[in-house]
Amino acid sequence: MRRQIFIIMLAGLVVGLSAFAVLGDECPCSDKTVPALPPALLEKARELAEIDDEATRKAMDTARELAKTMTIPENIHKEAGIKAAEKSNSDFRKPGFQQKIADEFNRQADLFIPESRRNKQKEQETKGILAENEKVFLFLSSSIPEASFQGYMLYLEGVPEILPVMKGMVGGLGKENKEERVQWWSKVLKKDTTCKKTPEEPCELIKPAISIKPALFNQYSITEVPTLIYDRGDEIFQIQGDVGLVTLLEKVNQEAKSPGLTAFITKIRGSR
């Protein structure tokens, strides 16, 4: 590259000097004549100005052949890196660590889940209709259809006897996914699906007390959603299926035959 640049510059110099030599006394920029280059020097300059295409091609071919022989040194820390990554992944997936993440999320719950800080208290309190030892959990996920999720939210608003539980959040819990998370919640928590949000007229939102509890998913061995768990202390009843909240409760109560659950179903039907 350096040689080619030098040759081009030299060629330009030759052309320029040749032009001055041709102009001679007629040059408008000076009243002095410019002597012409000696023929031998001019010929030598022209020879040097010729780019050696063959030499350039050979140099490129040599570079390509050398590139084929180059190898990237083996990473001596590869095995240690893999083990460290596997350990980090294992630690991250442990129920205890997941619960810490969930607790932190609940602590920082935004306006879409304003009552999440009171979930633990609601889970332990006696709710009147159900006995103190009776608990009902509805396990949900952002993977179920948005229309179905919204339907469950509408039924659960103002129903503290049922605790809706999620294992995680859409897009994860990181700040980098906050926009995705907000957009999803703003859709599934709208009371009116036809509402178009504007700065002047925001859509009215459902305010369910959703809890992020991956430990509960492990405790009840939940592998599918939606799943409804009725835990009365001495026995646990479980049913899966996206068939609506009342249907899930009725199917469970066909086996459980709980007076409290029967009264609770009647309450829900009467409020809708």
Side-chain angles (χ1 to χ4, degrees), residues 75-84:
N75 182 5
I76 60 175
H77 303 292
K78 179 179 178 181
E79 293 299 326
I82 291 175
K83 289 181 180 179

Side-chain angles (χ1 to χ4, degrees), residues 44-213:
K44 183 66 174 177
R46 286 173 178 166
E47 290 178 2
L48 292 174
E50 294 180 2
I51 300 177
D52 190 346
D53 292 339
E54 184 63 26
T56 301
R57 284 194 294 270
K58 288 182 178 179
M60 294 297 293
D61 291 340
T62 300
R64 291 190 187 97
E65 292 301 319
L66 288 174
K68 295 178 182 179
T69 63
M70 296 176 64
T71 58
I72 299 176
E74 184 177 356
N75 182 5
I76 60 175
H77 303 292
K78 179 179 178 181
E79 293 299 326
I82 291 175
K83 289 181 180 179
E86 290 175 345
K87 184 178 184 304
S88 296
N89 182 56
S90 176
D91 291 343
F92 178 79
R93 294 178 181 276
K94 288 180 179 178
F97 188 79
Q98 287 294 312
Q99 189 59 55
K100 287 182 179 180
I101 296 176
D103 290 343
E104 178 62 18
F105 175 81
N106 288 330
R107 190 180 70 82
Q108 300 182 20
D110 56 25
L111 62 92
F112 294 110
I113 323 173
E115 299 179 25
S116 62
R117 296 171 186 172
R118 287 173 267 173
N119 285 342
K120 186 173 182 179
Q121 180 181 352
K122 287 183 178 181
E123 182 182 337
Q124 296 173 345
E125 290 178 347
T126 301
K127 299 305 177 181
I129 294 179
L130 296 179
E132 186 175 357
N133 63 315
E134 292 179 297
K135 296 178 182 179
V136 181
F137 301 101
L138 180 62
F139 293 86
L140 299 170
S141 167
S142 59
S143 63
I144 69 175
E146 291 179 359
S148 295
F149 197 101
Q150 184 190 40
Y152 290 116
M153 295 299 99
L154 285 169
Y155 261 103
L156 291 171
E157 186 176 32
V159 182
E161 291 89 347
I162 298 180
L163 180 66
V165 184
M166 294 182 70
K167 193 172 187 177
M169 292 296 295
V170 59
L173 299 175
K175 292 181 179 179
E176 66 276 8
N177 298 314
K178 183 178 180 180
E179 183 64 27
E180 179 184 358
R181 187 164 61 248
V182 169
Q183 289 181 0
W184 186 81
W185 279 115
S186 66
K187 287 188 292 185
V188 299
L189 295 183
K190 282 198 298 186
K191 286 189 175 182
D192 181 3
T193 57
T194 63
C195 175
K196 301 295 183 182
K197 180 181 178 181
T198 64
E200 295 77 19
E201 296 184 7
C203 298
E204 187 178 1
L205 299 177
I206 307 163
K207 297 180 180 180
I210 297 177
S211 181
I212 308 299
K213 289 186 175 293

